[in-house]
Amino acid sequence: MDEALRAHLEAARGRVWATYGMTETLSHVALRLLNGPDADPGFRALPGVELSISTKGTLAVTAPAVAAETLVTNDVVRFTADHAFTVTGRLDNVINSGGIKVQTEVVEEKLRPLLSVPFAVAPRPNRLLGEEVVLVVEGTPDEAAAIDLTKLRTFLGRYECPKAVVAVPKLPLTATMKPDRPAIRAAARAARAARTGLPADAPRMQPAPGDSGASRPPSPGRRPGSSAALPAADASVFAAEIPAPKFARGP
């Protein structure tokens, strides 16, 4: 839930609750009061339900009344000191960049007040880091090029900063209007393939320290900085990359 909706709910005359549940539990297993002086910082388990964190770092639900075994979800959660929990994102949306786990939904939440166009964050193979963070935005390459990446970096953690921005004519969504993560990841990979001529799943090499990549020759038949249409992925790309973070050397 974004902050704008949360602020709107504060004006509601009655109590407003959010519920947490899944098909496997048949119903809700936790509640969160969203408004009023007693608003909760997170979800709280209903009577007869035990909540914990699994070895994967995701929520585990023990509810003997509805399930014989503990259910391990794919929701990455954070517990407060008084055992309320918030969902930070899905385990399959974690980007492993240089051994640092970046939660896609957390980065998107930080960027939401800063971007006025539909967007999503996606991973892309990187030979040095394993995966890199890519920002996929809806619009033309010229519109995406106007995004101030330097400003965005001031609102993000060191490993959350996008290494590239990919423009797509329409941000892929599911039938329920949620980001279509597989299609968005495919667009991020295919966009680089069109610009570089490399296979879509080829890892990206990090530039050497001090090398922005500007001196490299362009791909055959492609002028520097040009965009490329991708009918298969419905995407286009432009050359707007943030240099990889410099890692401090030990003594």
Side-chain angles (χ1 to χ4, degrees), residues 56-58 73-76 89-95 101 103 105:
K56 300 189 302 181
T58 60
T73 73
N74 275 336
D75 288 332
V76 179
R90 298 281 294 173
L91 182 63
D92 41 358
N93 292 336
V94 172
I95 301 172
K101 293 181 179 179
Q103 189 67 53
E105 294 91 342

Side-chain angles (χ1 to χ4, degrees), residues 4 9 36-37 40 47 50 64 90 104 126 128 149 154 191 215 218 221 231 234 250-251:
L9 291 176
D40 263 325
E50 262 187 48
R90 298 281 294 173
T104 294
N126 180 290
L128 177 64
L149 295 176
T154 63
S215 60
D234 195 28

Side-chain angles (χ1 to χ4, degrees), residues 76-101:
V76 179
V77 298
R78 184 181 294 120
F79 278 94
T80 63
D82 59 347
H83 215 61
F85 76 89
T86 54
V87 180
T88 59
R90 298 281 294 173
L91 182 63
D92 41 358
N93 292 336
V94 172
I95 301 172
N96 191 339
S97 186
I100 303 298
K101 293 181 179 179

Side-chain angles (χ1 to χ4, degrees), residues 60-73:
V61 180
T62 304
V66 295
E69 299 180 353
T70 296
L71 298 171
V72 177
T73 73

Side-chain angles (χ1 to χ4, degrees), residues 115-121 135-145 147 165-173 177 184 187 234-236 238:
L115 297 173
S116 58
V117 296
F119 73 94
V121 170
L135 177 62
V136 180
V137 299
E138 181 177 306
T140 66
D142 287 342
E143 290 170 334
I147 295 174
V165 179
V166 170
V168 293
K170 194 73 175 176
L171 189 72
L173 300 175
M177 303 305 292
I184 291 169
D234 195 28
S236 56
F238 64 96

